[in-house]
Amino acid sequence: MIVDIKNLTHHYDIDVLHNVSLSLKKYGSIALIGKSGSGKSTLLRILSGMEKATTGSIHVNGYPVSDPVYKKKVGFVFQNHNLFPHLTLERNITLILEKTRGVEKENAKEIAQKHLRLLQLGDQMHKLPKHVSGGQAQRASIARALSLDPDVIFLDEPTASLDPILTDEVLTAVKKLRTLGKDFIFATHVISFVRNFADYVIFMQDGVIVEQGKTTILDNPQTEAFKDYMSKVH
């Protein structure tokens, strides 16, 4: 995966990201960490093309993130699964395939069932989200993202609303996806997941990148901000 960011600034009522620049090559799983409000989720949405930056140049794998071609190459998993509550797990996937990719109904059904089984949800596919556990709903959200056959999957705090047992269930499922040849950029507070899943770590605070590097930086933070963060998440 190639990520190239130059002079990225983004603001709502206040500045959220401040002149962020980043150039990375050959990393398949990039973790964004930092306190709530550090800007990591905003950066994730901008990198995925879901949100337009105020200023700056942002490319992933050679594509500007605003390019419609690029947007068809990414999948996004939200903090709270974001499934349609009135549709079954299967229909949550087939509807997206039919409406956004023009996939025929029968083919969409085959794709949905394949990915739900991959995430160990074969016996849950005809249930509504409210009738499955939080971990199962989040795994269905991951299956939905996978069904679009993306090159890059974005995960925004995928276990934020889950208890420790369901968190482990979801993270175990995500780890298995590495074998599919997909790239990942994710935001999380779960440092054990970062250690086991990430190739590269970016620590953010107040809308800027404070430290970055391979996962070994987790054991040897250089700045007081990063030291303080690591002392609290452990």
Side-chain angles (χ1 to χ4, degrees):
M1 177 167 43
I2 303 170
V3 178
D4 187 29
I5 303 172
K6 294 177 182 174
N7 307 121
L8 165 60
T9 296
H10 192 61
H11 59 80
Y12 303 113
D13 294 332
I14 59 171
D15 283 349
V16 180
L17 297 172
H18 310 275
N19 200 33
V20 172
S21 292
L22 180 68
S23 182
L24 295 176
K25 293 181 181 179
K26 298 182 180 178
Y27 293 105
S29 183
I30 299 169
L32 305 177
I33 63 174
K35 297 176 184 177
S36 297
S38 63
K40 60 186 186 298
S41 289
T42 299
L43 179 57
L44 199 72
R45 289 195 299 271
I46 290 171
L47 283 168
S48 70
M50 289 184 63
E51 198 163 321
K52 185 179 179 181
T54 306
T55 61
S57 168
I58 309 100
H59 292 74
V60 177
N61 291 336
Y63 292 94
V65 294
S66 59
D67 190 326
V69 174
Y70 169 72
K71 291 182 179 181
K72 289 190 174 182
K73 294 177 178 286
V74 303
F76 201 99
V77 178
F78 297 87
Q79 217 173 95
N80 299 306
H81 58 73
N82 212 34
L83 298 173
F84 297 115
H86 61 293
L87 301 178
T88 65
L89 303 188
E90 179 186 276
R91 188 59 182 149
N92 261 280
I93 297 174
T94 58
L95 180 66
I96 297 298
L97 289 169
E98 291 166 22
K99 299 299 183 184
T100 70
R101 296 293 192 270
V103 179
E104 295 292 332
K105 261 185 184 176
E106 282 308 306
N107 192 17
K109 191 173 180 178
E110 288 177 13
I111 293 169
Q113 292 183 358
K114 170 189 170 183
H115 288 94
L116 286 167
R117 290 192 184 102
L118 180 69
L119 274 298
Q120 289 79 51
L121 292 167
D123 58 345
Q124 307 293 320
M125 63 177 69
H126 301 303
K127 293 182 179 180
L128 296 175
K130 67 181 178 180
H131 292 146
V132 301
S133 72
Q136 289 171 327
Q138 192 63 302
R139 279 189 279 139
S141 178
I142 295 168
R144 181 174 61 182
L146 270 177
S147 72
L148 300 173
D149 194 25
D151 292 337
V152 186
I153 298 175
F154 292 86
L155 303 157
D156 186 13
E157 300 279 6
T159 61
S161 59
L162 304 179
D163 65 35
I165 293 174
L166 295 180
T167 292
D168 184 67
E169 176 186 307
V170 171
L171 297 184
T172 298
V174 173
K175 288 174 190 174
K176 290 180 181 177
L177 301 183
R178 287 295 295 273
T179 62
L180 300 179
K182 306 296 182 184
D183 290 328
F184 293 83
I185 302 178
F186 64 100
T188 186
H189 289 293
V190 185
I191 298 301
S192 60
F193 179 52
V194 177
R195 290 184 187 280
N196 294 329
F197 190 66
D199 301 321
Y200 198 86
V201 182
I202 295 169
F203 170 67
M204 300 184 68
Q205 180 169 287
D206 298 329
V208 300
I209 295 173
V210 177
E211 290 193 45
Q212 59 180 297
K214 295 182 180 181
T215 53
T216 51
I217 70 169
L218 298 170
D219 299 314
N220 189 30
Q222 299 298 302
T223 61
E224 288 304 316
F226 196 15
K227 287 176 184 176
D228 180 62
Y229 176 79
M230 289 301 296
S231 71
K232 288 175 179 173
V233 293
H234 282 297

